Amino acid sequence: MKENEEQEFEKLRKKVETMSPYGRVEPKPRKWMSASEMGKLLGLKKTDRYWLIHKNYFRTENVMGMLRVDIASFEKWYANQVKYRKVTGEEPGLELKERSLSPGDIADLLGVTTDTAYSIIRQNKLETVIVDYWKRVPKEVFWDWYHSQSRYRTKEDRERDAAVEAETLTMPEMAGLLGVTRQEIYNILRNEKYMHYFESVIIADRKRIYRKGFEEFLAGQDQYQLKASAETTQVMIAKPEEENDNAVALDSMYEKKTISEKKYLTREEAAELAGVSRGMVSKWYREGEFPVNIIGNGIRIPLREFEQWLAKRKETVAADGNN
């Protein structure tokens, strides 16, 4: 009965608004709407709409004995929540999304799973706010953390990093090219005789050396030389004004070897080794289970670290199965 009265009241109000001794006039912008209109706008039944009103999220008032919802305060509330959605399709939470990020937003930004995003928030003790029972991170808090680390990268930064990675080498790659241990590479980088050759950059928490400096190092001394291999694909490294006789692959260290002979694996090879799908390997590395090198649009997985992680995982699964 009350709902019928509201409908009659709305019809009368609209009629009065358009009446004028001088003819029809345009109605003024509305300040109020009925509880029934608000409920229909959000697709709520009568009980749910009055429950929402009693939460005092927006201003209400009795106008001529009828409960009315202040439209301006309703729209302000709608722009700062994500639980309710208008049947018109208008996106909720626009103001909320301008100033904060959900774990899902963070996952999309960093190209990781939502579980990893929650781990980032928890492990780095990022400040959060609770909206509709869900955690959100203020944008300034997220970006302050993001710029303080280099492990996780946005899509834009990964694309930028790919160009830098194409011009650089990791310590294991340098060790493989020279046929020495990784410790020997660190000794070379610290040696006052050679350190001026090397300019470094940190990408995804890993130090990388520019190829140009590595080439100048090769040309400027005779103690260390490239380790030629018949199994590598040849990519020439030219010394100034002459061709290097020790032409080897800097870009392709992954071809024509069995898995056990390689230092790095593709996702397909890692999947074969683990006996799982390629998608599962992708899921593991996105969750940060083991380190990877991102090269262009592809990745390379260090064999030793992957085997160590795989062995620990098998031990954990076996232990869980025995319990």
Side-chain angles (χ1 to χ4, degrees):
M1 186 72 177
K2 188 175 181 180
E3 201 162 312
N4 290 334
E5 289 176 0
E6 286 188 354
Q7 292 172 354
E8 290 299 320
F9 177 84
E10 286 301 314
K11 288 179 182 178
L12 178 60
R13 181 187 61 77
K14 290 177 181 178
K15 184 176 181 181
V16 170
E17 282 181 347
T18 57
M19 290 177 63
S20 167
Y22 305 104
R24 182 181 178 86
V25 296
E26 290 296 323
K28 295 180 180 180
R30 293 180 61 194
K31 183 179 179 181
W32 305 94
M33 64 178 165
S34 68
S36 176
E37 287 177 301
M38 183 275 293
K40 289 178 180 178
L41 185 59
L42 297 178
L44 300 177
K45 294 181 179 179
K46 185 175 181 179
T47 301
D48 293 331
R49 81 180 68 143
Y50 280 102
W51 179 89
L52 184 60
I53 287 172
H54 291 153
K55 298 294 285 186
N56 294 320
Y57 290 136
F58 37 80
R59 182 184 167 208
T60 60
E61 194 170 309
N62 279 310
V63 179
M64 297 177 65
M66 298 291 183
L67 183 65
R68 291 290 178 266
V69 175
D70 178 71
I71 293 175
S73 66
F74 172 83
E75 293 296 344
K76 185 72 175 177
W77 164 79
Y78 188 77
N80 286 277
Q81 62 82 47
V82 291
K83 182 177 180 180
Y84 297 91
R85 181 178 290 272
K86 293 180 180 179
V87 296
T88 58
E90 181 183 340
E91 185 180 356
L94 292 180
E95 290 185 14
L96 179 67
K97 294 171 185 177
E98 278 293 314
R99 66 176 189 273
S100 65
L101 298 166
S102 70
D105 295 332
I106 293 173
D108 290 340
L109 272 171
L110 302 181
V112 299
T113 65
T114 304
D115 286 343
T116 299
Y118 274 109
S119 295
I120 289 171
I121 294 170
R122 183 175 61 255
Q123 292 171 5
N124 294 281
K125 299 179 180 178
L126 300 185
E127 174 193 342
T128 59
V129 293
I130 305 298
V131 179
D132 297 326
Y133 306 103
W134 293 96
K135 286 184 178 180
R136 297 187 69 88
V137 178
K139 283 189 175 180
E140 61 271 20
V141 171
F142 171 79
W143 290 114
D144 284 347
W145 164 80
Y146 179 80
H147 293 303
S148 72
Q149 56 83 50
S150 61
R151 178 179 180 183
Y152 297 99
R153 316 302 291 157
T154 63
K155 179 182 178 182
E156 292 75 17
D157 283 345
R158 288 196 300 272
E159 290 174 350
R160 186 202 66 201
D161 290 345
V164 177
E165 286 176 345
E167 299 174 359
T168 57
L169 297 166
T170 64
M171 308 299 108
E173 287 172 334
M174 289 175 61
L177 288 168
L178 297 179
V180 299
T181 65
R182 193 183 306 186
Q183 184 57 51
E184 182 65 15
I185 293 298
Y186 291 126
N187 292 338
I188 292 172
L189 296 179
R190 288 193 294 264
N191 192 317
E192 292 185 359
K193 289 172 55 179
Y194 308 130
M195 61 192 315
H196 65 280
Y197 289 115
F198 302 109
E199 181 183 355
S200 64
V201 63
I202 303 293
I203 298 178
D205 275 355
R206 301 193 74 180
K207 185 176 182 179
R208 302 178 68 92
I209 301 298
Y210 280 93
R211 291 171 183 260
K212 182 178 179 181
F214 182 67
E215 295 173 12
E216 291 173 351
F217 160 75
L218 289 174
Q221 53 77 48
D222 55 13
Q223 181 177 352
Y224 297 96
Q225 299 295 326
L226 290 168
K227 180 182 178 182
S229 170
E231 294 178 329
T232 57
T233 305
Q234 292 190 346
V235 174
M236 304 299 291
I237 301 178
K239 290 183 180 180
E241 301 181 357
E242 65 175 336
E243 184 179 275
N244 187 347
D245 292 333
N246 293 319
V248 297
L250 279 182
D251 292 321
S252 182
M253 301 173 67
Y254 317 107
E255 305 298 330
K256 301 182 180 177
K257 291 185 179 181
T258 64
I259 288 178
S260 62
E261 294 174 310
K262 295 185 175 185
K263 294 186 178 180
Y264 297 91
L265 303 174
T266 63
R267 270 176 286 189
E268 290 80 3
E269 291 167 339
E272 179 185 346
L273 189 61
V276 297
S277 68
R278 180 178 182 272
M280 181 59 71
V281 172
S282 298
K283 179 178 181 293
W284 284 340
Y285 86 75
R286 285 179 185 139
E287 292 175 349
E289 298 289 353
F290 43 78
V292 299
N293 291 343
I294 300 176
I295 303 176
N297 292 325
I299 70 160
R300 291 296 182 267
I301 303 168
L303 173 60
R304 187 177 67 176
E305 285 87 342
F306 183 71
E307 286 180 326
Q308 290 172 348
W309 174 82
L310 200 58
K312 289 180 182 178
R313 181 176 181 274
K314 289 179 179 178
E315 289 174 4
T316 302
V317 172
D320 291 342
N322 292 329
N323 292 333

